[in-house]
Amino acid sequence: AATLFDADNDGRPDLFITRDTETPLFFHNVTAAVGSWLKIKVRGTKSNTDAYGAIVTVWPTKDGAPQKFLVGGGGRLFTQDSHTVQVGLGNFAGPLARLRVDFPATKRSVEMTDVILNQTIEIREPSK
């Protein structure tokens, strides 16, 4: 099984691999320049606590094309996707023009503007 995650919360994805009877492998990403990033930790309250199925849409600029991400549940072989979406924004200096999380099971959404980059934010599904 392989899991891609940010072990030290520095915006650079790290990799952990388990191998049947052999010692697991951990690859720590030490890339010098990572660029701008944003992690969105999505939590459900009414639909499901891990918010699987939620859709995160990011507009880096006001008139720019959106980027969409699905809060997964499919995972890979013997793993499970995280409920944290990591968005890589390269040389974009921000702030992020707009961010929306849609919770399809309840038809509720959360929207934010002028989001500061290079941080982790948590968005909870509205209860009403």
Side-chain angles (χ1 to χ4, degrees):
T3 301
L4 189 65
F5 70 110
D6 188 359
D8 51 3
N9 202 29
D10 63 357
R12 297 177 289 211
D14 303 300
L15 180 64
F16 184 78
I17 300 173
T18 58
R19 309 177 299 162
D20 292 334
T21 60
E22 297 183 38
T23 305
L25 300 173
F26 176 68
F27 296 94
H28 183 221
N29 187 344
V30 294
T31 305
V34 67
S36 295
W37 55 274
L38 180 67
K39 286 197 266 183
I40 304 115
K41 187 179 290 187
V42 184
R43 300 282 190 200
T45 57
K46 295 290 180 185
S47 51
N48 63 77
T49 57
D50 288 322
Y52 290 138
I55 299 167
V56 176
T57 307
V58 172
W59 290 265
T61 60
K62 185 177 177 181
D63 299 321
Q67 297 178 37
K68 290 193 175 204
F69 304 88
L70 177 67
V71 178
R76 282 128 187 102
L77 185 63
F78 303 121
T79 68
Q80 182 173 337
D81 286 341
S82 171
H83 54 260
T84 301
V85 171
Q86 183 163 345
V87 180
L89 295 158
N91 294 327
F92 181 71
L96 200 64
R98 189 169 142 212
L99 163 71
R100 186 178 71 222
V101 179
D102 294 299
F103 298 87
T106 58
K107 308 280 191 259
R108 296 184 175 130
S109 62
V110 174
E111 193 162 315
M112 301 172 69
T113 57
D114 298 321
V115 180
I116 303 300
L117 300 180
N118 302 328
Q119 66 169 332
T120 301
I121 61 172
E122 184 171 307
I123 296 181
R124 289 190 176 274
E125 178 182 23
S127 57
K128 292 185 179 186

